[in-house]
Structure formats: structure tokens, C-alpha cells
């Protein structure tokens, strides 16, 4: 659960800076957020969480 919250915070921070730097418009940010929200409610959420956990574990062992 801590990894999930950290990734959410990381992606939220990146999204914030993209919006602040005007690299990403508000419409695109809304679409990206909606996509993430709906993706989390599909069957793809489990494998995505496992992949993120594996990458974090691999980075921690470097």
C-alpha cells in the first residue's frame, strides 16, 4: 500500500509540474487523470501494480 501511495504522489507531482510549466494543458491533464482512474478499476490494475513493485524492488537492489 505504501508503494501505491508513493507512486500516486509521484505521478501527481509530475502532473502538477507539467501543468505549471504549461507543457500539459488542463484538458490533457483531465484526460490523463480520467484514464488512470478508469484503468485502476479494470483487470489491468493487478499486473500494473506487480510491474511497478518489481521495478521498485529492482531499483532498490541496485
Amino acid at each position: 500500500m505504501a508503494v501505491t501511495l508513493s507512486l500516486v504522489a509521484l505521478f501527481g507531482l509530475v502532473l502538477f509540474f507539467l501543468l505549471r510549466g504549461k507543457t500539459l494543458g488542463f484538458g490533457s491533464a483531465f484526460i490523463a487523470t480520467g484514464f488512470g482512474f478508469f484503468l485502476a478499476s479494470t483487470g489491468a490494475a493487478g499486473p500494473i501494480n506487480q510491474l511497478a513493485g518489481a521495478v521498485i524492488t529492482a531499483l532498490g537492489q541496485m
Side-chain angles (χ1 to χ4, degrees):
M1 186 63 134
V3 172
T4 303
L5 292 176
S6 298
L7 288 176
V8 168
L10 175 67
F11 287 131
L13 189 63
V14 169
L15 187 59
F16 170 76
F17 283 115
L18 287 173
L19 282 171
R20 190 166 185 234
K22 297 185 178 153
T23 307
L24 183 69
F26 286 107
S28 299
F30 180 75
I31 297 297
T33 304
F35 175 73
F37 177 77
F38 287 114
L39 183 64
S41 65
T42 66
I48 291 171
N49 285 334
Q50 291 173 352
L51 176 65
V55 168
I56 290 169
T57 301
L59 288 174
Q61 294 178 356
M62 290 180 127

